[in-house]
Amino acid sequence: MNAKMMTTLTLLSAILLIFFSSLDDVQAFSAGKGFGNNSSSSPSNKSFIGADRFKSICPAAPETIKKFDATLINEEEDESSDKDTWVAVYRSKNNLPSVFVRDSFFDAMAVATTAQDGDSQTLVSSTTQEGIGVISGNLQDEKPVAVARLTASKDGANISIIDSMRCTLKKENTNPDCDGGSEHCEAIGVCIDELVISYLQNYLETESNTVGEQTLHFDGGIRFRGTLFSGKLLEARGFREASQLSADMHSHESDFDGALTNYAERSISTDVSKSPGARDRSLKIVSLLSKIDRDEDKKKDG
């Protein structure tokens, strides 16, 4: 079985799984059982939230990233800054009620314990502005809760690395309704997905405009220095562990077959893709990967 046939079969399997999964949910709903498998159990574990917890901008302007941390971008010292791709992630208003209750409690406690001068209204306003990145209007006017960068690796112009990953949300605050088990993991996952999409779009555009030149490659073309938390997110998306040391000290790298398989699974999983945005990003990545010649891509990596 050649590589093209295997890729085609993978895509067909994903489409069939999406169809039958949707059919089962419709039948369960019409029977009064709700959506998802085992719908008689806790609905929060199997059903979709129905609204995105996070929104993102990719590519994000330098001014947007500086709102998160001004030290992340130094355009005067970094010559490649104009070629970098940044993503900024915002927490939307579509959070669970418990999130608002908790944030309101912490805001109230901060006001109660720090009030020295001025009226309470002034202190409340300053606390809200400092804080949690909840979208209230135009994304450009808000402070992101997570950012990341896709930039050239030290090991070559045709290899990229995702770095400068930052997130203000606490890792310890777990939530089973979040993609990844917490808001922190879900926000980091959005960063990874958006930068993978950006890389693939640039890959296909470069491929069509250059003939006979060394171009980008997806298999091994994106690297990442993973942590205990982000490493699990990468592996869930098909990234493989690095097999040898490199100048950029990466721990994971993109894998064509792994990404195609895992993102196809994510696009139909009610346990993983618990928001419309997560499913859409997974489907988009599968669609972009299907436009790439797998054999030629792996030859570039070799």
Side-chain angles (χ1 to χ4, degrees):
M1 183 182 295
N2 59 36
K4 289 185 178 180
M5 184 176 294
M6 187 178 73
T7 302
T8 302
L9 288 175
T10 303
L11 290 172
L12 286 174
S13 299
I15 293 171
L16 289 172
L17 284 171
I18 293 171
F19 173 76
F20 287 114
S21 176
S22 301
L23 183 61
D24 289 341
D25 281 346
V26 170
Q27 292 174 342
F29 183 76
S30 63
K33 297 179 180 179
F35 285 107
N37 299 326
N38 301 325
S39 297
S40 58
S41 61
S42 175
S44 62
N45 292 333
K46 291 292 182 181
S47 62
F48 285 100
I49 293 174
D52 287 325
R53 188 182 300 270
F54 294 96
K55 304 291 183 182
S56 61
I57 296 178
C58 185
E63 294 75 18
T64 301
I65 305 303
K66 288 179 180 179
K67 288 181 181 179
F68 182 89
D69 186 348
T71 63
L72 288 176
I73 296 182
N74 191 330
E75 297 175 357
E76 296 181 357
E77 296 182 2
D78 190 355
E79 297 178 355
S80 64
S81 61
D82 58 332
K83 299 179 181 179
D84 296 342
T85 301
W86 285 90
V87 59
V89 176
Y90 302 81
R91 190 170 67 181
S92 73
K93 287 187 175 181
N94 296 320
N95 287 284
L96 297 178
S98 59
V99 175
F100 292 118
V101 172
R102 186 187 65 220
D103 291 338
S104 297
F105 171 76
F106 285 137
D107 286 344
M109 288 296 295
V111 171
T113 56
T114 61
Q116 299 292 334
D117 300 313
D119 59 4
S120 60
Q121 183 61 41
T122 303
L123 292 171
V124 170
S125 298
S126 63
T127 303
T128 303
Q129 290 173 357
E130 282 285 331
I132 56 176
V134 174
I135 300 170
S136 60
N138 186 358
L139 289 184
Q140 301 286 356
D141 298 330
E142 305 296 334
K143 179 180 177 181
V145 296
V147 297
R149 178 180 69 165
L150 180 70
T151 188
S153 169
K154 296 178 180 179
D155 284 339
N158 294 315
I159 300 176
S160 298
I161 186 168
I162 297 176
D163 65 3
S164 299
M165 185 78 74
R166 303 285 190 277
C167 183
T168 59
L169 302 174
K170 294 182 178 180
K171 306 179 183 71
E172 299 81 9
N173 294 341
T174 60
N175 187 334
D177 286 322
C178 292
D179 182 8
S182 69
E183 285 193 334
H184 175 91
C185 289
E186 185 168 345
I188 293 297
V190 174
C191 289
I192 296 171
D193 293 345
E194 288 289 354
L195 291 178
V196 169
I197 290 172
S198 177
Y199 181 90
L200 288 171
Q201 290 173 334
N202 186 36
Y203 177 114
L204 293 170
E205 182 180 350
T206 304
E207 190 77 10
S208 62
N209 295 333
T210 55
V211 179
E213 299 180 12
Q214 187 178 9
T215 57
L216 300 175
H217 55 92
F218 181 77
D219 196 81
I222 305 178
R223 295 177 173 179
F224 195 99
R225 286 190 290 269
T227 63
L228 179 63
F229 288 89
S230 61
K232 294 179 181 179
L233 300 177
L234 292 166
E235 291 166 10
R237 288 162 169 77
F239 278 66
R240 62 180 179 239
E241 292 186 355
S243 58
Q244 58 186 9
L245 293 175
S246 62
D248 55 28
M249 299 297 291
H250 71 289
S251 63
H252 293 76
E253 59 189 22
S254 52
D255 179 88
F256 191 101
D257 296 334
L260 185 61
T261 300
N262 287 36
Y263 274 109
E265 291 176 354
R266 282 179 58 80
S267 68
I268 60 172
S269 172
T270 57
D271 288 324
V272 178
S273 298
K274 295 184 177 180
S275 70
R279 172 172 282 192
D280 289 344
R281 286 188 294 272
S282 297
L283 287 171
K284 192 168 187 177
I285 291 172
V286 171
S287 175
L288 292 169
L289 285 172
S290 67
K291 299 176 183 179
I292 298 174
D293 188 313
R294 174 181 176 275
D295 289 340
E296 290 297 323
D297 185 82
K298 285 184 172 290
K299 287 179 183 178
K300 294 177 185 178
D301 183 29

